[in-house]
Structure formats: structure tokens, C-alpha cells
Amino acid sequence: MIEYRNLKIAILGGGSVGAQVANLLIQHGDELAARAGAGLEVIGVAVRDLDAKRDTDIPQHLLTTDAPALILGADLVVELIGGIEPARTYILQALHSGADVITANKAVLANHGPELFEAAEQVGAQLYYEAAVGGAIPIIRPLRDSLAGDRVTRILGIVNGTTNFILDRMDTEGDSLEAALAEATRLGYAEADPTADVEGFDAAQKAAILASLAFHTTVPLEAVHREGMTTVTHDQVLAARKAGYVVKLLAICERITDATGTEGVAARVHPALVPRDHPLAAVHGANNAVFVEAEAAGSLMFYGAGAGGIQTASAVLGDIVSAARRHVAGGPGVAESTHANLPVLPMSSVTTRYQITLTVLDEPGVLAAIATLFSDRGVSVEGVSQSVRDGGDSARPTATLVIITHEASESALAATVEALATNSAVSAVVSVLRVEGL
Ligand code: NDP
Ligand code: HSE
């Protein structure tokens, strides 16, 4: 029998993820010890309510409401409370007491990442966060380690399961947004208050984390352009299907060069049209996927369960084993890399393609006038399709135009849409959607 050094593990939070982590650590302790080269002893699980019902049984003697005392005696602290406070304070306390910290908390990382990484570096401790983006999907370690020798150019991510479930139901079942959201809530995907999901806040936090890591640059949450998916209509999803696209809420992090020649990074979250033959179009239900483009590696896709207690616990346990190995082997671990320190460029610097749907008067010269509105603002049209007359009155019938542009800047596109909206030949700007993944 091998005698291992024992590492004391404090788990903060015994909810969906914390209860599963505690249970798996206790159940598979011997096997994990062999992998880690150290015994992994759960010394306690901090919660708010000692009598709350839990997804899996946690031995009652391990439960405590005194998180600060629990942290003091730990080698590894696993923060699974979520939110900003008290999670931030507990993480700092743990790092200052010399413990390595494992967290699944995207909110605290996106809002206070630099402070936490600096604290870790100062004391020679390590902060692990594989579960913070994409739940069970390994994406943090591949970006930090496997792709450390490459240059990532772009990340397209479906990083919120709730919104992917909703958009997928609208696309495949013809559900309304409200009906799909109700089903997501019934199945337990959506939060009781799903605002963070549907308004893109959750995805924006994950985008900030991914962009910072991929581009070796601190990307603050405030610099992530965010649009939610509550404006996506049933008609847009149907029209996208007919045109060979699917609507997805994407987190996009990219290396770009702006009009002045400055190289920087940009991060954004918004609904977008994705061609049906793109790998991201095949991500159904509440699954997540992160599509990474790198100069040497080319395109890579990481796919799987982006949420769920036991699925997320898998990523947390991987971090616990890594942290334990470091404790056994010693050494400084991997510091957060922000050496590139690229400028974080605003949304107005981003270029992409657009699909604009208009209702226009079906009269001679209208198409030419509209084409001029685009070309006058430097937006090049790639293709136009016109439906047969579909509205208006008999004296002035209207038709629907669907226009796809070549790459154009956000500012040029915004100016074009403004000009379209006030043009007398245009009855309505029905929809403006970005097109990604072409
Ligand atoms: P839950 O809300 O299910 O659990 C939170 C736990 O924290 C509860 O056990 C709660 O105690 C405890 N808690 C809350 N406040 C305090 C406090 N002040 N002191 C001590 N304990 C406290 O959250 P999840 O397990 O779902 O999420 C945990 C983390 O994992 C979050 O950062 C989340 O973003 C992340 N994550 C979650 C995923 C998921 O699918 N659930 C997926 C990916 C990441 P009590 O039980 O007594 O109320
Ligand atoms: N609410 C999140 C989602 C959970 O729907 O993906 C995982 O962060």
C-alpha cells in the first residue's frame, strides 16, 4: 500500500456543483489519490444552510457555515459559491494563506481576475478555473498549455447552454422564444432569473476570460460588447433557416487590426447567423462549443456539456488533481500571462458581414437607389435576393429584399442602416444580423 502525503481540501458551496465535487472526491478518493500522488481529504463543505436539501448526500459532520475557519486549515480551496461576494474575499483569503484555489466562478474572474491572479502570483499560489467556461469542456487548459506555442487569431463560442437551447428549439421545433424559455426553465437549464443568460451577461463574462487567456492580454468585462438574444424573432429564425443559416448567440474574441493599422483584440457577444454547414450549427440543445482558429493549428472545436452539476464537477476535479500534483512536485506553477498587453479595441473597429432584410417599394430604380446607399458608405454588397411582391397596397406594392454584405465595419454598417431607415423607398428595416463563420 502506497502512503501518500495528505492534502486537505475545503469546498466552499455545496450546491449543484459543490455537492457533486464533494461526493466524487469521497467516492473515488483512492483512485484520485493515485492519480494526484497525494491523498485528497475533504475537511469540510461550507454552505449557508446546514439543513438544506442537497443533490447528493454530504456527510453532515463535513457541513459548516464558517467558511473563513475552514479555509485556514486547507491546502486546496475549491470555491463553488458563485457570484462576486463573498467568493472574492474567500478566494483572496485562501491565496494569502498559501492555499491553491480552484474555482468555477466566471463572474468573479471576469470582474476581479487581475486582482486574484496578482494575489496568487505574490504568494506563489495557483488559481485554477477550468470549469468557469464551458462546464465540462476542456478549454482553459488547451488555450493556456496546448496552444501556448501557437497564435490564436479567433474564437467563436457557444458558451451559454440556456440560450443555445432556446434558439435551437426555435429553429428545430418552431417554438416561440417565450415557449422555448419556459421549457428551458422547466428542464432546469435556465436560472430562476434568466436575465444573465438571455441578455448575454453570462456569455460576456466567459468571453472576457477566453479573450484574456487566448491573447495574453487583460480584457476587462466592460470592454466586451454585449447584445442579448431577446430581440431575435421567430420570423428571423425561420428566414435564416430558409437561407441556409442558423441563429446562435456567439461569444467572439478576435485579433484585429483597426482602420489606423493598430493591432489589438476585440470581444463581443451577440446573436449571429451561422451557415448550416459550419460545425457550430450542429451544436444542439444546451450543449456548448468553442471553435478556435490558430495560425499553425488551423481550426479546432471543443464540444460538450456546458453546464450541469456532475458535468461541471468533472472539470473541477481535473483542476483539483492538477493542483495536488503541483503541491507534491513543488515549483511555482503557471502564472497568468498578459505579456502581449494588446490594446482592447472597441466594437466600432470590428468588421464582419451582415444580412439586412428590408421591405421596399417594388418600383423601378429602387434597387439601384438602395445599392447606392450601401456603396456611398463603403459597404460592399455580396448578394441580394428579392421575394415576389409581398405587401403594400395595389397602387404601391412592396417586396422583401435580403442583402448580404462583404466585410464592413460596424460604423459603416450603422450609417448605412440609418440611411436605409429614413429612405422613402424603404417601408421597413425588418432585420439586421451579423453573419459569422463564412
Ligand atoms: P448553487 O447556487 O447550486 O450553490 C451555491 C452553494 O453556495 C450553495 O451550497 C450555497 O449554500 C453556498 N453558499 C452561498 N452563499 C454562501 C456563503 N455566503 N457562504 C457559504 N456558502 C454559501 O451554485 P452552483 O453549484 O450551480 O454553481 C457554483 C459555481 O459553479 C458558480 O460560480 C457557477 O457559475 C459555476 N458553474 C455552475 C454550473 C452549473 O451547471 N451549475 C456550470 C458551470 C459553472 P446553501 O446550499 O446552504 O444555500
Ligand atoms: N447559465 C449557464 C448556461 C450555466 O446556461 O450555460 C453555465 O455557466
Side-chain angles (χ1 to χ4, degrees), residues 122-154:
Q122 269 175 11
V123 297
Q126 191 84 26
L127 183 57
Y128 297 80
Y129 55 102
E130 183 60 72
V133 181
I137 304 171
I139 182 63
I140 300 301
R141 208 168 273 111
L143 282 174
R144 197 191 57 199
D145 297 337
S146 318
L147 289 166
D150 209 333
R151 287 183 97 224
V152 174
T153 49
R154 198 157 196 251

PDB file of all heavy atoms in Angstrom, residues 122-154:
ATOM      1  N   GLN A 122       1.806  36.775  -6.093  1.00  0.00           N
ATOM      2  CA  GLN A 122       2.577  37.331  -4.972  1.00  0.00           C
ATOM      3  C   GLN A 122       2.973  36.265  -3.959  1.00  0.00           C
ATOM      4  O   GLN A 122       4.067  36.288  -3.406  1.00  0.00           O
ATOM      5  CB  GLN A 122       1.740  38.391  -4.253  1.00  0.00           C
ATOM      6  CG  GLN A 122       1.957  39.779  -4.814  1.00  0.00           C
ATOM      7  CD  GLN A 122       1.016  40.787  -4.164  1.00  0.00           C
ATOM      8  OE1 GLN A 122       0.352  40.478  -3.171  1.00  0.00           O
ATOM      9  NE2 GLN A 122       0.957  41.968  -4.729  1.00  0.00           N
ATOM     10  N   VAL A 123       2.044  35.329  -3.721  1.00  0.00           N
ATOM     11  CA  VAL A 123       2.341  34.332  -2.675  1.00  0.00           C
ATOM     12  C   VAL A 123       2.790  32.999  -3.273  1.00  0.00           C
ATOM     13  O   VAL A 123       2.996  32.029  -2.548  1.00  0.00           O
ATOM     14  CB  VAL A 123       1.112  34.099  -1.762  1.00  0.00           C
ATOM     15  CG1 VAL A 123       0.737  35.347  -1.010  1.00  0.00           C
ATOM     16  CG2 VAL A 123      -0.070  33.560  -2.545  1.00  0.00           C
ATOM     17  N   GLY A 124       2.914  32.942  -4.606  1.00  0.00           N
ATOM     18  CA  GLY A 124       3.362  31.694  -5.233  1.00  0.00           C
ATOM     19  C   GLY A 124       2.291  30.619  -5.220  1.00  0.00           C
ATOM     20  O   GLY A 124       2.598  29.425  -5.248  1.00  0.00           O
ATOM     21  N   ALA A 125       1.036  31.037  -5.151  1.00  0.00           N
ATOM     22  CA  ALA A 125      -0.060  30.059  -5.193  1.00  0.00           C
ATOM     23  C   ALA A 125      -0.637  30.025  -6.607  1.00  0.00           C
ATOM     24  O   ALA A 125      -0.231  30.795  -7.485  1.00  0.00           O
ATOM     25  CB  ALA A 125      -1.146  30.433  -4.190  1.00  0.00           C
ATOM     26  N   GLN A 126      -1.579  29.139  -6.813  1.00  0.00           N
ATOM     27  CA  GLN A 126      -2.113  28.946  -8.160  1.00  0.00           C
ATOM     28  C   GLN A 126      -3.634  29.041  -8.143  1.00  0.00           C
ATOM     29  O   GLN A 126      -4.276  28.597  -7.187  1.00  0.00           O
ATOM     30  CB  GLN A 126      -1.683  27.552  -8.635  1.00  0.00           C
ATOM     31  CG  GLN A 126      -1.916  27.265 -10.078  1.00  0.00           C
ATOM     32  CD  GLN A 126      -0.788  27.789 -10.960  1.00  0.00           C
ATOM     33  OE1 GLN A 126       0.332  27.922 -10.490  1.00  0.00           O
ATOM     34  NE2 GLN A 126      -1.085  28.074 -12.205  1.00  0.00           N
ATOM     35  N   LEU A 127      -4.178  29.627  -9.207  1.00  0.00           N
ATOM     36  CA  LEU A 127      -5.633  29.753  -9.331  1.00  0.00           C
ATOM     37  C   LEU A 127      -6.067  28.969 -10.568  1.00  0.00           C
ATOM     38  O   LEU A 127      -5.619  29.277 -11.675  1.00  0.00           O
ATOM     39  CB  LEU A 127      -5.965  31.244  -9.477  1.00  0.00           C
ATOM     40  CG  LEU A 127      -7.411  31.687  -9.560  1.00  0.00           C
ATOM     41  CD1 LEU A 127      -8.215  31.214  -8.341  1.00  0.00           C
ATOM     42  CD2 LEU A 127      -7.483  33.214  -9.641  1.00  0.00           C
ATOM     43  N   TYR A 128      -6.889  27.952 -10.361  1.00  0.00           N
ATOM     44  CA  TYR A 128      -7.335  27.084 -11.459  1.00  0.00           C
ATOM     45  C   TYR A 128      -8.813  27.382 -11.746  1.00  0.00           C
ATOM     46  O   TYR A 128      -9.597  27.565 -10.816  1.00  0.00           O
ATOM     47  CB  TYR A 128      -7.218  25.612 -11.065  1.00  0.00           C
ATOM     48  CG  TYR A 128      -5.817  25.136 -10.773  1.00  0.00           C
ATOM     49  CD1 TYR A 128      -5.223  25.393  -9.538  1.00  0.00           C
ATOM     50  CD2 TYR A 128      -5.096  24.416 -11.709  1.00  0.00           C
ATOM     51  CE1 TYR A 128      -3.938  24.943  -9.254  1.00  0.00           C
ATOM     52  CE2 TYR A 128      -3.807  23.960 -11.438  1.00  0.00           C
ATOM     53  CZ  TYR A 128      -3.236  24.226 -10.211  1.00  0.00           C
ATOM     54  OH  TYR A 128      -1.971  23.777  -9.935  1.00  0.00           O
ATOM     55  N   TYR A 129      -9.221  27.360 -13.038  1.00  0.00           N
ATOM     56  CA  TYR A 129     -10.613  27.736 -13.339  1.00  0.00           C
ATOM     57  C   TYR A 129     -11.158  27.058 -14.597  1.00  0.00           C
ATOM     58  O   TYR A 129     -11.907  27.655 -15.359  1.00  0.00           O
ATOM     59  CB  TYR A 129     -10.731  29.264 -13.440  1.00  0.00           C
ATOM     60  CG  TYR A 129      -9.787  29.914 -14.428  1.00  0.00           C
ATOM     61  CD1 TYR A 129     -10.235  30.331 -15.675  1.00  0.00           C
ATOM     62  CD2 TYR A 129      -8.456  30.122 -14.117  1.00  0.00           C
ATOM     63  CE1 TYR A 129      -9.377  30.927 -16.593  1.00  0.00           C
ATOM     64  CE2 TYR A 129      -7.590  30.724 -15.015  1.00  0.00           C
ATOM     65  CZ  TYR A 129      -8.054  31.120 -16.240  1.00  0.00           C
ATOM     66  OH  TYR A 129      -7.201  31.704 -17.141  1.00  0.00           O
ATOM     67  N   GLU A 130     -10.786  25.797 -14.791  1.00  0.00           N
ATOM     68  CA  GLU A 130     -11.238  25.095 -15.999  1.00  0.00           C
ATOM     69  C   GLU A 130     -12.762  25.100 -16.144  1.00  0.00           C
ATOM     70  O   GLU A 130     -13.299  25.176 -17.254  1.00  0.00           O
ATOM     71  CB  GLU A 130     -10.724  23.645 -15.967  1.00  0.00           C
ATOM     72  CG  GLU A 130     -11.057  22.829 -17.192  1.00  0.00           C
ATOM     73  CD  GLU A 130     -10.483  23.420 -18.479  1.00  0.00           C
ATOM     74  OE1 GLU A 130      -9.270  23.351 -18.670  1.00  0.00           O
ATOM     75  OE2 GLU A 130     -11.262  23.965 -19.294  1.00  0.00           O
ATOM     76  N   ALA A 131     -13.487  25.024 -15.026  1.00  0.00           N
ATOM     77  CA  ALA A 131     -14.946  24.894 -15.096  1.00  0.00           C
ATOM     78  C   ALA A 131     -15.664  26.226 -15.337  1.00  0.00           C
ATOM     79  O   ALA A 131     -16.879  26.245 -15.531  1.00  0.00           O
ATOM     80  CB  ALA A 131     -15.476  24.261 -13.810  1.00  0.00           C
ATOM     81  N   ALA A 132     -14.905  27.337 -15.333  1.00  0.00           N
ATOM     82  CA  ALA A 132     -15.570  28.636 -15.427  1.00  0.00           C
ATOM     83  C   ALA A 132     -16.125  28.922 -16.816  1.00  0.00           C
ATOM     84  O   ALA A 132     -17.028  29.728 -16.984  1.00  0.00           O
ATOM     85  CB  ALA A 132     -14.602  29.751 -15.009  1.00  0.00           C
ATOM     86  N   VAL A 133     -15.574  28.270 -17.832  1.00  0.00           N
ATOM     87  CA  VAL A 133     -16.076  28.452 -19.201  1.00  0.00           C
ATOM     88  C   VAL A 133     -16.348  27.071 -19.783  1.00  0.00           C
ATOM     89  O   VAL A 133     -15.473  26.201 -19.778  1.00  0.00           O
ATOM     90  CB  VAL A 133     -15.052  29.178 -20.102  1.00  0.00           C
ATOM     91  CG1 VAL A 133     -15.617  29.360 -21.513  1.00  0.00           C
ATOM     92  CG2 VAL A 133     -14.640  30.510 -19.508  1.00  0.00           C
ATOM     93  N   GLY A 134     -17.569  26.872 -20.257  1.00  0.00           N
ATOM     94  CA  GLY A 134     -17.877  25.621 -20.966  1.00  0.00           C
ATOM     95  C   GLY A 134     -18.076  24.421 -20.070  1.00  0.00           C
ATOM     96  O   GLY A 134     -18.032  23.288 -20.561  1.00  0.00           O
ATOM     97  N   GLY A 135     -18.318  24.613 -18.769  1.00  0.00           N
ATOM     98  CA  GLY A 135     -18.637  23.494 -17.873  1.00  0.00           C
ATOM     99  C   GLY A 135     -17.623  22.364 -17.974  1.00  0.00           C
ATOM    100  O   GLY A 135     -16.460  22.515 -17.603  1.00  0.00           O
ATOM    101  N   ALA A 136     -18.068  21.234 -18.505  1.00  0.00           N
ATOM    102  CA  ALA A 136     -17.200  20.043 -18.563  1.00  0.00           C
ATOM    103  C   ALA A 136     -16.148  20.126 -19.659  1.00  0.00           C
ATOM    104  O   ALA A 136     -15.205  19.327 -19.677  1.00  0.00           O
ATOM    105  CB  ALA A 136     -18.067  18.804 -18.798  1.00  0.00           C
ATOM    106  N   ILE A 137     -16.304  21.058 -20.593  1.00  0.00           N
ATOM    107  CA  ILE A 137     -15.422  21.064 -21.781  1.00  0.00           C
ATOM    108  C   ILE A 137     -14.026  21.553 -21.403  1.00  0.00           C
ATOM    109  O   ILE A 137     -13.881  22.641 -20.844  1.00  0.00           O
ATOM    110  CB  ILE A 137     -15.982  22.013 -22.872  1.00  0.00           C
ATOM    111  CG1 ILE A 137     -17.407  21.630 -23.243  1.00  0.00           C
ATOM    112  CG2 ILE A 137     -15.089  22.017 -24.092  1.00  0.00           C
ATOM    113  CD1 ILE A 137     -18.088  22.643 -24.149  1.00  0.00           C
ATOM    114  N   PRO A 138     -12.992  20.774 -21.732  1.00  0.00           N
ATOM    115  CA  PRO A 138     -11.635  21.297 -21.504  1.00  0.00           C
ATOM    116  C   PRO A 138     -11.346  22.399 -22.520  1.00  0.00           C
ATOM    117  O   PRO A 138     -11.292  22.133 -23.718  1.00  0.00           O
ATOM    118  CB  PRO A 138     -10.723  20.081 -21.762  1.00  0.00           C
ATOM    119  CG  PRO A 138     -11.634  18.901 -21.870  1.00  0.00           C
ATOM    120  CD  PRO A 138     -12.976  19.417 -22.290  1.00  0.00           C
ATOM    121  N   ILE A 139     -11.242  23.633 -22.073  1.00  0.00           N
ATOM    122  CA  ILE A 139     -10.928  24.735 -22.989  1.00  0.00           C
ATOM    123  C   ILE A 139      -9.884  25.676 -22.385  1.00  0.00           C
ATOM    124  O   ILE A 139      -9.058  26.232 -23.105  1.00  0.00           O
ATOM    125  CB  ILE A 139     -12.207  25.507 -23.441  1.00  0.00           C
ATOM    126  CG1 ILE A 139     -11.846  26.619 -24.422  1.00  0.00           C
ATOM    127  CG2 ILE A 139     -13.008  26.058 -22.262  1.00  0.00           C
ATOM    128  CD1 ILE A 139     -11.237  26.164 -25.715  1.00  0.00           C
ATOM    129  N   ILE A 140      -9.891  25.811 -21.054  1.00  0.00           N
ATOM    130  CA  ILE A 140      -8.909  26.711 -20.431  1.00  0.00           C
ATOM    131  C   ILE A 140      -7.509  26.129 -20.575  1.00  0.00           C
ATOM    132  O   ILE A 140      -6.581  26.808 -21.031  1.00  0.00           O
ATOM    133  CB  ILE A 140      -9.250  26.925 -18.928  1.00  0.00           C
ATOM    134  CG1 ILE A 140     -10.650  27.551 -18.787  1.00  0.00           C
ATOM    135  CG2 ILE A 140      -8.178  27.762 -18.231  1.00  0.00           C
ATOM    136  CD1 ILE A 140     -10.832  28.880 -19.475  1.00  0.00           C
ATOM    137  N   ARG A 141      -7.357  24.850 -20.210  1.00  0.00           N
ATOM    138  CA  ARG A 141      -6.032  24.228 -20.289  1.00  0.00           C
ATOM    139  C   ARG A 141      -5.536  24.136 -21.739  1.00  0.00           C
ATOM    140  O   ARG A 141      -4.381  24.458 -22.006  1.00  0.00           O
ATOM    141  CB  ARG A 141      -6.050  22.861 -19.604  1.00  0.00           C
ATOM    142  CG  ARG A 141      -4.697  22.479 -19.043  1.00  0.00           C
ATOM    143  CD  ARG A 141      -4.776  21.281 -18.111  1.00  0.00           C
ATOM    144  NE  ARG A 141      -5.063  21.627 -16.748  1.00  0.00           N
ATOM    145  CZ  ARG A 141      -6.200  21.358 -16.104  1.00  0.00           C
ATOM    146  NH1 ARG A 141      -7.170  20.722 -16.712  1.00  0.00           N
ATOM    147  NH2 ARG A 141      -6.353  21.705 -14.847  1.00  0.00           N
ATOM    148  N   PRO A 142      -6.380  23.742 -22.712  1.00  0.00           N
ATOM    149  CA  PRO A 142      -5.912  23.765 -24.107  1.00  0.00           C
ATOM    150  C   PRO A 142      -5.440  25.152 -24.549  1.00  0.00           C
ATOM    151  O   PRO A 142      -4.417  25.275 -25.210  1.00  0.00           O
ATOM    152  CB  PRO A 142      -7.148  23.320 -24.899  1.00  0.00           C
ATOM    153  CG  PRO A 142      -7.879  22.442 -23.955  1.00  0.00           C
ATOM    154  CD  PRO A 142      -7.663  23.043 -22.589  1.00  0.00           C
ATOM    155  N   LEU A 143      -6.164  26.190 -24.170  1.00  0.00           N
ATOM    156  CA  LEU A 143      -5.733  27.540 -24.576  1.00  0.00           C
ATOM    157  C   LEU A 143      -4.439  27.931 -23.878  1.00  0.00           C
ATOM    158  O   LEU A 143      -3.540  28.521 -24.475  1.00  0.00           O
ATOM    159  CB  LEU A 143      -6.814  28.574 -24.255  1.00  0.00           C
ATOM    160  CG  LEU A 143      -8.015  28.641 -25.202  1.00  0.00           C
ATOM    161  CD1 LEU A 143      -9.068  29.606 -24.670  1.00  0.00           C
ATOM    162  CD2 LEU A 143      -7.590  29.060 -26.612  1.00  0.00           C
ATOM    163  N   ARG A 144      -4.351  27.598 -22.586  1.00  0.00           N
ATOM    164  CA  ARG A 144      -3.181  28.041 -21.809  1.00  0.00           C
ATOM    165  C   ARG A 144      -1.942  27.201 -22.092  1.00  0.00           C
ATOM    166  O   ARG A 144      -0.833  27.727 -22.185  1.00  0.00           O
ATOM    167  CB  ARG A 144      -3.515  27.996 -20.319  1.00  0.00           C
ATOM    168  CG  ARG A 144      -2.550  28.797 -19.469  1.00  0.00           C
ATOM    169  CD  ARG A 144      -2.735  28.543 -18.008  1.00  0.00           C
ATOM    170  NE  ARG A 144      -2.579  27.130 -17.725  1.00  0.00           N
ATOM    171  CZ  ARG A 144      -3.024  26.521 -16.628  1.00  0.00           C
ATOM    172  NH1 ARG A 144      -3.712  27.195 -15.737  1.00  0.00           N
ATOM    173  NH2 ARG A 144      -2.829  25.234 -16.433  1.00  0.00           N
ATOM    174  N   ASP A 145      -2.140  25.875 -22.225  1.00  0.00           N
ATOM    175  CA  ASP A 145      -0.982  24.981 -22.348  1.00  0.00           C
ATOM    176  C   ASP A 145      -0.803  24.454 -23.775  1.00  0.00           C
ATOM    177  O   ASP A 145       0.219  24.681 -24.399  1.00  0.00           O
ATOM    178  CB  ASP A 145      -1.127  23.790 -21.394  1.00  0.00           C
ATOM    179  CG  ASP A 145      -1.148  24.244 -19.948  1.00  0.00           C
ATOM    180  OD1 ASP A 145      -0.638  25.339 -19.665  1.00  0.00           O
ATOM    181  OD2 ASP A 145      -1.683  23.515 -19.097  1.00  0.00           O
ATOM    182  N   SER A 146      -1.819  23.763 -24.292  1.00  0.00           N
ATOM    183  CA  SER A 146      -1.647  23.071 -25.579  1.00  0.00           C
ATOM    184  C   SER A 146      -1.377  24.056 -26.710  1.00  0.00           C
ATOM    185  O   SER A 146      -0.637  23.755 -27.641  1.00  0.00           O
ATOM    186  CB  SER A 146      -2.887  22.250 -25.908  1.00  0.00           C
ATOM    187  OG  SER A 146      -3.371  21.592 -24.769  1.00  0.00           O
ATOM    188  N   LEU A 147      -2.000  25.247 -26.639  1.00  0.00           N
ATOM    189  CA  LEU A 147      -1.828  26.219 -27.716  1.00  0.00           C
ATOM    190  C   LEU A 147      -0.824  27.316 -27.348  1.00  0.00           C
ATOM    191  O   LEU A 147      -0.755  28.348 -28.025  1.00  0.00           O
ATOM    192  CB  LEU A 147      -3.188  26.837 -28.090  1.00  0.00           C
ATOM    193  CG  LEU A 147      -4.126  25.857 -28.818  1.00  0.00           C
ATOM    194  CD1 LEU A 147      -5.555  26.383 -28.850  1.00  0.00           C
ATOM    195  CD2 LEU A 147      -3.641  25.598 -30.244  1.00  0.00           C
ATOM    196  N   ALA A 148      -0.036  27.065 -26.300  1.00  0.00           N
ATOM    197  CA  ALA A 148       0.914  28.091 -25.847  1.00  0.00           C
ATOM    198  C   ALA A 148       1.969  28.403 -26.916  1.00  0.00           C
ATOM    199  O   ALA A 148       2.562  29.484 -26.926  1.00  0.00           O
ATOM    200  CB  ALA A 148       1.596  27.662 -24.554  1.00  0.00           C
ATOM    201  N   GLY A 149       2.191  27.483 -27.843  1.00  0.00           N
ATOM    202  CA  GLY A 149       3.190  27.722 -28.877  1.00  0.00           C
ATOM    203  C   GLY A 149       2.612  28.274 -30.164  1.00  0.00           C
ATOM    204  O   GLY A 149       3.334  28.457 -31.150  1.00  0.00           O
ATOM    205  N   ASP A 150       1.320  28.522 -30.176  1.00  0.00           N
ATOM    206  CA  ASP A 150       0.662  28.978 -31.401  1.00  0.00           C
ATOM    207  C   ASP A 150       0.151  30.405 -31.194  1.00  0.00           C
ATOM    208  O   ASP A 150       0.262  30.961 -30.102  1.00  0.00           O
ATOM    209  CB  ASP A 150      -0.522  28.019 -31.698  1.00  0.00           C
ATOM    210  CG  ASP A 150      -0.820  27.922 -33.185  1.00  0.00           C
ATOM    211  OD1 ASP A 150      -0.532  28.899 -33.910  1.00  0.00           O
ATOM    212  OD2 ASP A 150      -1.367  26.900 -33.617  1.00  0.00           O
ATOM    213  N   ARG A 151      -0.392  30.989 -32.264  1.00  0.00           N
ATOM    214  CA  ARG A 151      -1.030  32.311 -32.124  1.00  0.00           C
ATOM    215  C   ARG A 151      -2.505  32.148 -32.429  1.00  0.00           C
ATOM    216  O   ARG A 151      -2.875  31.864 -33.574  1.00  0.00           O
ATOM    217  CB  ARG A 151      -0.433  33.321 -33.108  1.00  0.00           C
ATOM    218  CG  ARG A 151       0.950  33.779 -32.753  1.00  0.00           C
ATOM    219  CD  ARG A 151       1.397  34.832 -33.747  1.00  0.00           C
ATOM    220  NE  ARG A 151       1.199  36.183 -33.249  1.00  0.00           N
ATOM    221  CZ  ARG A 151       0.694  37.175 -33.971  1.00  0.00           C
ATOM    222  NH1 ARG A 151       0.300  36.983 -35.202  1.00  0.00           N
ATOM    223  NH2 ARG A 151       0.563  38.380 -33.450  1.00  0.00           N
ATOM    224  N   VAL A 152      -3.336  32.296 -31.428  1.00  0.00           N
ATOM    225  CA  VAL A 152      -4.781  32.206 -31.643  1.00  0.00           C
ATOM    226  C   VAL A 152      -5.225  33.480 -32.353  1.00  0.00           C
ATOM    227  O   VAL A 152      -4.823  34.588 -31.976  1.00  0.00           O
ATOM    228  CB  VAL A 152      -5.522  32.045 -30.297  1.00  0.00           C
ATOM    229  CG1 VAL A 152      -7.030  32.107 -30.495  1.00  0.00           C
ATOM    230  CG2 VAL A 152      -5.108  30.733 -29.631  1.00  0.00           C
ATOM    231  N   THR A 153      -6.039  33.319 -33.389  1.00  0.00           N
ATOM    232  CA  THR A 153      -6.496  34.507 -34.117  1.00  0.00           C
ATOM    233  C   THR A 153      -7.965  34.813 -33.804  1.00  0.00           C
ATOM    234  O   THR A 153      -8.378  35.969 -33.829  1.00  0.00           O
ATOM    235  CB  THR A 153      -6.346  34.308 -35.640  1.00  0.00           C
ATOM    236  OG1 THR A 153      -6.905  33.049 -36.007  1.00  0.00           O
ATOM    237  CG2 THR A 153      -4.889  34.339 -36.041  1.00  0.00           C
ATOM    238  N   ARG A 154      -8.724  33.751 -33.495  1.00  0.00           N
ATOM    239  CA  ARG A 154     -10.165  33.988 -33.340  1.00  0.00           C
ATOM    240  C   ARG A 154     -10.785  32.863 -32.524  1.00  0.00           C
ATOM    241  O   ARG A 154     -10.380  31.702 -32.651  1.00  0.00           O
ATOM    242  CB  ARG A 154     -10.779  33.971 -34.733  1.00  0.00           C
ATOM    243  CG  ARG A 154     -12.125  34.584 -34.846  1.00  0.00           C
ATOM    244  CD  ARG A 154     -12.344  35.016 -36.294  1.00  0.00           C
ATOM    245  NE  ARG A 154     -13.453  35.918 -36.332  1.00  0.00           N
ATOM    246  CZ  ARG A 154     -14.641  35.607 -36.841  1.00  0.00           C
ATOM    247  NH1 ARG A 154     -14.847  34.436 -37.391  1.00  0.00           N
ATOM    248  NH2 ARG A 154     -15.621  36.496 -36.826  1.00  0.00           N
TER     249      ARG A 154
END
